[in-house]
Amino acid sequence: MALSIRLLLVADHYIHRYRQLTYIRRVKHTGPAELVRAYLEAWADRDLAAAKRFLGGNFSMVYPGGARFSRLEDLVPHAAHSYRWVRKRFERFDEAPAEDGAVIVYCLGTLYGEFADGRPFEGVRFIDRFVVRDGLLTDHRVWNDLPR
């Protein structure tokens, strides 16, 4: 049964990735939500060079458990302790103006992937909160239901 679940997750991963690539080709990065989505897709592919192009100079990240990072390269080994791979199914993006002229973008959805020990998972809720200022990401906060 675990093998069939794993095969379904892998197949779903490739179908989901095809849809993401199709979306990227269709949509120009015209607004904060599109910017966030493009960043998340680059990060999921571990294309750090592409992901860095979306970040402002004082970019910071806070992940569950209070783990803080300012460089994507430092997040990669931290993530490896939790899972072999993970992908996001985006349900929605919400934008809200901030008082200082920035835009807050919330991304909601579910995670699926494979834990570090090889067990598959799916349907794990997540919320990402971004601050977009002058067309760049300056802050990223993450909440999810993955076990610690």
Side-chain angles (χ1 to χ4, degrees):
M1 176 143 179
L3 179 60
S4 62
I5 291 172
R6 181 176 286 163
L7 289 173
L8 286 172
L9 286 173
V10 169
D12 186 63
H13 163 76
Y14 286 107
I15 291 168
H16 183 68
R17 185 68 192 131
Y18 172 78
R19 289 179 181 149
Q20 286 178 331
L21 290 173
T22 302
Y23 175 86
I24 290 170
R25 283 192 286 265
R26 280 193 333 242
V27 177
K28 295 180 181 176
H29 310 299
T30 58
E34 290 83 8
L35 180 94
V36 166
R37 183 178 185 128
Y39 163 76
L40 288 171
E41 291 170 348
W43 167 245
D45 289 340
R46 296 302 186 257
D47 185 347
L48 299 186
K52 285 180 185 180
R53 290 193 290 265
F54 296 99
L55 307 181
N58 293 325
F59 179 73
S60 65
M61 301 170 274
V62 179
Y63 273 69
R68 295 179 176 273
F69 305 96
S70 59
R71 295 174 353 112
L72 295 178
E73 296 86 355
D74 297 333
L75 180 56
V76 173
H78 172 78
H81 293 291
S82 300
Y83 44 80
R84 290 181 183 173
W85 62 272
V86 64
R87 291 288 179 179
K88 294 183 177 192
R89 288 190 182 100
F90 303 123
E91 291 177 11
R92 73 177 203 251
F93 292 82
D94 296 331
E95 295 181 10
E99 290 181 11
D100 63 357
V103 177
I104 308 300
V105 177
Y106 288 93
C107 173
L108 293 83
T110 58
L111 304 171
Y112 67 101
E114 194 172 289
F115 287 115
D117 65 6
R119 290 178 297 127
F121 65 88
E122 66 178 308
V124 176
R125 297 176 304 171
F126 78 87
I127 298 174
D128 287 349
R129 177 191 181 271
F130 291 88
V131 176
V132 180
R133 183 173 283 110
D134 299 323
L136 295 172
L137 306 176
T138 60
D139 187 68
H140 180 197
R141 308 291 167 145
V142 177
W143 297 271
N144 64 52
D145 290 337
L146 279 172
R148 310 273 172 268

